[in-house]
Amino acid sequence: QKEVEQNSGPLSVPEGAIASLNCTYSDRGSQSFFWYRQYSGKSPELIMSIYSNGDKEDGRFTAQLNKASQYVSLLIRDSQPSDSATYLCAVNLQTGNQFYFGTGTSLTVIP
Amino acid sequence: NAGVMQNPRHLVRRRGQEARLRCSPMKGHSHVYWYRQLPEEGLKFMVYLQKENIIDESGMPKERFSAEFPKEGPSILRIQQVVRGDSAAYFCASSPRVNTGELFFGEGSRLTVL
């Protein structure tokens, strides 16, 4: 079982719609959860972090964490073509210092 | 405040040669991570270093790969006797504190092995 799992997609949504990206993790003791965005050929950039159960909102982005279900999600409201990218879920495992990344979900926002 | 600097951005090597990838973390950051990314795949953790110390190298292949982060100068990821399977993008990330998850990535070094 992989430490972090994401649906690879691709996920396509029309402009203005809500994009929902999901991630599950295996280490129940994980404490820190992150969403990175990676444009094609570019490096990942941090867009959201979440540490406690519930929702965290930042502009058009909302991260949701459910530790009991070992599930973290990212919602993008009013999706824009510029949101088209690969979204990587990352988890800081309790057992070590490294951060494990999922394989990413490719999102395309159709104008 | 310069970001994480990686060089070279692109490197071509023939099988059996050595590849050296360098990473200068952001100013004030003493934690460095190296990741490998293959096409259509996620980031695979390789090694986590602090100044002069390898903290976690559990993701590094046992042979041919080594990393260092000296007291002075950049962190270096060294791949000896490269093979075609080493072709990938190698990303370095730095962090100001341990376990924050706020990793700041460099632009990556893309290694092609002929």
Side-chain angles (χ1 to χ4, degrees), chain A residues 34 36 38 41 43 51 98-99, chain B residues 35 37 56 100-101 103 106 110:
Chain A
F34 310 89
Y36 285 78
Q38 186 177 23
S43 59
Y51 302 94
Q98 64 269 39
F99 299 89
Chain B
Y35 287 85
Q37 187 173 44
D56 187 335
T100 66
L103 302 179
R110 283 155 180 81

Side-chain angles (χ1 to χ4, degrees), chain B residues 48-84:
Chain B
Y48 162 48
L49 311 103
Q50 295 180 26
K51 281 286 187 181
E52 299 185 273
N53 288 300
I54 297 174
I55 307 302
D56 187 335
E57 58 181 347
S58 59
M60 289 269 277
K62 293 288 188 287
E63 298 177 353
R64 303 188 297 108
F65 285 73
S66 62
E68 63 177 5
F69 189 14
K71 184 177 181 180
E72 301 291 337
S75 174
I76 295 175
L77 179 67
R78 180 184 181 200
I79 311 173
Q80 295 178 290
Q81 299 174 341
V82 296
V83 300
R84 287 201 174 131

